[in-house]
Amino acid sequence: MPLAAAGIGAAGSILGGITGGKGAQAAAKAQAQAQQAAIGEQRNEFNTIQANNQPYTQAGTSSLASMLNLLGLGAGGATGQQGAIDALKASPTFTALDQTGTDAILQNAAATGGLRGGNTQNSLYNNRSNLLASVIQQQLGNLGALVNVGQAGASGTNAAASNTGNAVSSILTQGGNTAASGILGGANSFQNTLNSLSQIAGKYFNPQSTLQLPSQLKASGFGDTAQTGIW
């Protein structure tokens, strides 16, 4: 009976070890799946931010190219600069302002009797030249503002990318720790199972152990050891 009871107890330990190992591995697998879902959510959030900022970054990139052309610093050099200036001179804004200035000068010259005089021609030339310079400066300011908007959008995307990278890195680290814990838990359970099997084998094949006698009994001639049962 004692041997049978011990066997039953050891068998329970073995079963518990097997169950515990499987439980540790299942828990690790579930947590790993949750971590993968968290990584997917982080990527979705970054993609959303990137898509929201794309119009601003695109506007900034396009405006920077136009700004460089207008300054003669673009890929087209002087040819590109002249093309940008000609495009401004043909724009509705410049055309309307030029026409308004010309009409005012001509009306003033007609009222003073100097319509065909040299002053009138100089005024018309200066008006057009000054207007072009003013429109160029205004265009550079407008383009610069859009470049700043694009830069802000790019900075926002970069920050989101950095935050996403840090979050994913942290999740992956946690996932590695979780996987390691599951493996370690399964290994410990397996080791406990082996220990239980070893105990059963030891009790089954070695039902007796030796007991050292006290020194007084040795002195009385009872011998060095006495056999005693352990069950």
Side-chain angles (χ1 to χ4, degrees), residues 5-63:
I8 293 174
S13 298
I14 294 172
L15 181 60
I18 295 174
T19 304
K22 290 184 177 180
Q25 293 175 354
K29 182 178 179 181
Q31 190 168 355
Q33 290 175 345
Q35 288 162 346
Q36 288 299 318
I39 291 175
E41 181 60 27
Q42 289 289 334
R43 289 172 177 166
N44 289 338
E45 291 180 6
F46 169 73
N47 290 337
T48 299
I49 294 174
Q50 185 179 40
N52 290 340
N53 288 337
Q54 185 177 5
Y56 303 100
T57 55
Q58 185 175 357
T61 301
S62 177
S63 297

Side-chain angles (χ1 to χ4, degrees), residues 88-178:
L88 275 182
K89 290 166 67 175
S91 67
T93 298
F94 180 84
T95 301
L97 292 175
D98 182 40
Q99 187 62 51
T100 299
T102 298
D103 291 344
I105 291 171
L106 293 178
Q107 288 176 4
N108 182 65
T112 58
L115 187 62
R116 297 184 181 278
N119 291 336
T120 300
Q121 297 300 317
N122 288 335
S123 295
L124 290 172
Y125 174 81
N126 290 334
N127 174 71
R128 187 174 179 83
S129 177
N130 292 336
L131 176 61
L132 179 60
S134 176
V135 169
I136 288 175
Q137 289 300 319
Q138 183 179 7
Q139 182 71 353
L140 288 173
N142 293 337
L143 292 173
L146 288 175
V147 169
N148 291 335
V149 169
Q151 185 178 16
S155 297
T157 301
N158 290 338
S162 178
N163 292 336
T164 300
N166 291 335
V168 171
S169 178
S170 177
I171 293 172
L172 289 175
T173 300
Q174 294 175 6
N177 293 337
T178 299

